[in-house]
Amino acid sequence: MELSGKNLFFLLLLLSSNLLTLFISTTLYSSSCSLKSQLQTSTSPTTTAAATAEEEDGDDDSETKTLDLPSEFIAFTSPQKLPLGFNRNFDSDQIFPSVGSSCTLFEDDLRRYMSYKVNGSCPDDELVGQKLLLKGCEPLPRRRCRPAAPQDAVEPRPLPDSLWSTPSDSSVVWTAYTCKDYSCLINRGRNQKGFDDCKDCFDLNGREKHRWTGHAASNLDFTIDEVLAAKPPGSIRIGLDIGGGVATFAVRMRDRNITIITTSMNLNGPFNNFIAARGLVPLYVSISQRLPLFDNTLDIVHSMHVMSNWIPTELLHFMMFDIYRVLRPGGLFWLDHFFCVGEELEKVYAPLIESVGFKKVRWEVGRKLDRGPELNEMYLSALLEKPLKNSW
């Protein structure tokens, strides 16, 4: 009888603990269609990141701060239930839209970017979006509005004429740029003082006309045909140009039946519009983003100038490994005119590049004198190969 009493006691204890657990779980984690309820839980990575940032700043009012985000941003970043329930591909019954959690660190810009009339016209805010993207809010959140478009748009020139023709001024919304037409952009290398990214790139009859062709001006200037000769004919077919300006590299490769996608930013010029008008594919991503390409797929990756010592060293290391990742075994990485201060090349950048695991095909070093010899700047042009065997 005493043993039966103990069993009854333990049974009552077990039941009461289970009921308490059920009460807590249904109260704190109940399912809801309310965006506010979803935001207040810890399921959203954006919310978590924002709350963490607030805690690090010593602000206990993180929930209020998070709820002050634009309603469209909350709608986009909240977890969404899959209509057909659990999906084995997702290993979940919900999906979290992809957006950089660092977006929440720049609330003023984010509020400007994500405040608009749903189903209406987007604000003319290209600079705001690009500023967010460059700060690390990448990928930018999607929006439910129509972006500004040229008022008098015309059909583009047909291929192959478009490859070496200046597009119509009516193909661009010019409000974000200092120049308001292509004539200004073409002449700014001669007329404009001060720095602008790829200042003379839009002049297709200038330096662009001769890039990567003919005889190399120095041992740093590899020609495309020299690079392609490093691999069996026809084995270089697809690739990527990182920070490719107006995509003249892609044009040269297209002439050789090689498809190149070009990443470019619109830094005081409509680079992406210009690339598309030439009949090529622009990819609007910053250097911070993981390349949106699968492992072991590309035959060649090229980058000129953009990958240099202005990039934080650790970020550059991540970039190098990401390039290694997307190259197929035997693929080529053409590092074109990387520049840095002389002593840093030997002490920092050469060891950094060598640590990735590339095989050196060519490695040429020379002086960079355009800003004066007293700066002791150096150029590195390198042709690197991902090993065909044991590339992991």
Side-chain angles (χ1 to χ4, degrees):
M1 187 70 180
E2 183 179 352
L3 183 61
S4 177
K6 286 183 179 180
N7 288 340
L8 181 61
F9 171 76
F10 284 122
L11 178 61
L12 290 173
L13 182 62
L14 179 61
L15 288 172
S16 61
S17 63
N18 286 342
L19 286 171
L20 180 61
T21 302
L22 178 63
F23 171 77
I24 293 173
S25 63
T26 54
T27 302
L28 297 182
Y29 301 102
S30 59
S31 174
S32 173
C33 293
S34 167
L35 293 177
K36 182 176 179 181
S37 298
Q38 291 174 355
L39 187 67
Q40 287 174 333
T41 70
S42 60
T43 55
S44 170
T46 304
T47 306
T48 304
T52 303
E54 293 297 336
E55 290 172 4
E56 291 175 352
D57 289 340
D59 187 353
D60 293 328
D61 196 23
S62 59
E63 182 177 312
T64 303
K65 195 76 171 177
T66 301
L67 290 174
D68 195 37
L69 293 171
S71 59
E72 276 293 277
F73 182 79
I74 295 172
F76 177 68
T77 56
S78 295
Q80 306 292 323
K81 287 287 186 180
L82 294 173
L84 301 181
F86 183 86
N87 185 296
R88 284 188 294 180
N89 291 326
F90 291 89
D91 196 26
S92 175
D93 64 350
Q94 59 186 346
I95 185 172
F96 293 87
S98 174
V99 64
S101 61
S102 57
C103 295
T104 58
L105 302 177
F106 312 106
E107 290 190 23
D108 290 341
D109 290 333
L110 183 62
R111 187 170 291 106
R112 290 175 62 192
Y113 186 70
M114 293 301 291
S115 298
Y116 54 87
K117 182 180 178 180
V118 176
N119 296 332
S121 297
C122 299
D124 188 358
D125 57 359
E126 179 183 326
L127 290 179
V128 175
Q130 183 162 272
K131 185 186 296 184
L132 277 167
L133 191 150
L134 290 171
K135 286 178 178 179
C137 175
E138 189 170 30
L140 290 173
R142 284 175 172 159
R143 302 197 289 189
R144 294 184 287 181
C145 58
R146 300 174 188 85
Q151 293 296 314
D152 301 310
V154 296
E155 293 291 337
R157 293 177 185 268
L159 285 166
D161 292 346
S162 62
L163 295 173
W164 291 104
S165 300
T166 301
S168 167
D169 290 337
S170 65
S171 62
V172 177
V173 177
W174 293 95
T175 51
Y177 315 117
T178 302
C179 282
K180 303 305 179 184
D181 56 45
Y182 276 120
S183 177
C184 172
L185 287 172
I186 290 169
N187 291 294
R188 74 177 180 178
R190 294 180 288 271
N191 301 335
Q192 179 181 306
K193 295 181 180 179
F195 174 81
D196 252 316
D197 189 70
C198 209
K199 197 173 187 178
D200 59 352
C201 284
F202 292 94
D203 183 6
L204 296 182
N205 291 313
R207 189 169 57 158
E208 290 297 300
K209 200 74 174 178
H210 307 288
R211 287 188 188 273
W212 306 291
T213 62
H215 297 289
S218 73
N219 62 337
L220 294 166
D221 300 314
F222 304 170
T223 68
I224 286 178
D225 290 331
E226 288 174 341
V227 169
L228 296 181
K231 302 299 293 182
S235 64
I236 302 297
R237 306 149 302 156
I238 56 172
L240 178 71
D241 190 15
I242 300 174
V246 295
T248 295
F249 179 80
V251 172
R252 300 294 186 200
M253 297 294 265
R254 186 183 185 278
D255 291 341
R256 293 157 175 81
N257 295 318
I258 299 168
T259 301
I260 297 292
I261 295 174
T262 304
T263 78
S264 193
M265 301 297 296
N266 284 358
L267 300 175
N268 201 21
F271 288 90
N272 283 268
N273 305 76
F274 195 87
I275 293 169
R278 296 182 83 176
L280 304 163
V281 180
L283 194 61
Y284 188 55
V285 297
S286 79
I287 59 167
S288 301
Q289 181 174 322
R290 184 181 190 265
L291 294 172
L293 300 159
F294 195 62
D295 304 359
N296 304 310
T297 51
L298 298 185
D299 300 316
I300 189 168
V301 174
H302 171 265
S303 183
M304 185 173 187
H305 291 322
V306 69
M307 291 181 63
S308 289
N309 68 337
W310 70 273
I311 300 175
T313 306
E314 197 164 33
L315 174 58
L316 182 65
H317 204 199
F318 275 105
M319 288 181 67
M320 292 284 185
F321 270 100
D322 207 29
I323 290 168
Y324 188 92
R325 176 184 65 81
V326 299
L327 281 171
R328 64 164 174 81
L332 296 176
F333 174 36
W334 181 356
L335 183 60
D336 196 349
H337 284 77
F338 174 93
F339 61 86
C340 63
V341 177
E343 58 270 19
E344 291 181 339
L345 180 59
E346 183 177 348
K347 294 180 180 179
V348 178
Y349 295 109
L352 181 151
I353 296 168
E354 290 166 352
S355 72
V356 178
F358 289 111
K359 172 186 174 183
K360 292 180 182 177
V361 180
R362 290 188 63 177
W363 184 276
E364 304 288 349
V365 176
R367 296 291 302 277
K368 181 178 183 292
L369 301 172
D370 58 313
R371 298 200 302 165
E374 64 277 3
L375 294 179
N376 190 31
E377 291 182 311
M378 304 294 291
Y379 273 131
L380 166 66
S381 285
L383 185 60
L384 308 169
E385 182 183 42
K386 182 173 179 177
L388 186 61
K389 305 293 184 181
N390 300 323
S391 59
W392 54 90

